Amino acid sequence: MTDEKKGQKIFIVEDDLDLSEMLSAYFRVQGYDVSTASRGEDAVAAISKDIPDVAVLDIRLPDIDGFEVCRRLRRARRTQNLPVIFLTEKRERDDKLSGLELGAVDYITKPFDIQELRLRVRNALRRARLSTLLNPVTGLPEGPLVKERVDQMLTYSDWGVVLAGIRGLNKFRDRFGFVAADDVSRAVTLMIANAVQESGTGDDFVGHADSGDFLILTTSERSPKLAERCMVRLQPSIQYFYPALERQRLHEMSESERLGVYVATVSSQEVKASNLEELFAALESRRL
């Protein structure tokens, strides 16, 4: 077993038990930790509980199809970036486009060359490792890199933090699709970057909290101005995230159905925080 493969987990979702056993045995010999499921519902539950490094997912399943499995995984923050390789007998262009829209990293049709599948799995794992510090949609830092910067900031005597984001994005994604929701995230990234450029300095840091919220690390003096600029830029833009025909009926929607903006800010002058959990507790209590 190589160090590269040691501890890496592959989850195979395949209702053909002979094929599932063959793939499982093959990848175990290659040094991977392999789990399997033959039904989509079971796969969603198992993957959500113990997240693998990559999922090999058949589209034709006895209950929900592979597209729905992937769709549910994408809705959850913990599994939304899980690399998925679709394994299917379907060859139609529309099926491939559906898989790619859901964020699949690859698509391989049966019958397939087992060596080709092994290389595709290996490449997906390598790409995933390289991107673990950056959000795949916005390109902003997240995870360990953000935690490191926050921990460092909390050792300073003067600091300020702005938390900003879009409320209702999951419902928006369900209705208009993943591509539209990703476009919203990218647009918000650009607007926040512009707000920082207008009211901040080159020393300010922008990244993602674990929840997907945008996090700006700055000083106590600049944080209120940045929070205001974020709200001023984001709030008027909400209507333009919707398709043109939908904008005309936004006033008919309840607040819980529409996208919304939230912004919060705290500083070393207002709260005492010694770790990430205390900082986010303070921010959550101040969401606007």
Side-chain angles (χ1 to χ4, degrees), residues 9-12 52-56 82-85 105 121 124-125:
K9 301 176 183 178
I10 299 176
F11 199 104
I12 298 171
D53 295 293
V54 66
V56 178
L82 172 67
V84 171
I85 298 174
V105 298
V121 167
L125 290 168

Side-chain angles (χ1 to χ4, degrees), residues 206-217:
V206 182
H208 284 293
D210 287 343
S211 58
D213 298 326
F214 291 84
L215 201 65
I216 306 171
L217 309 185

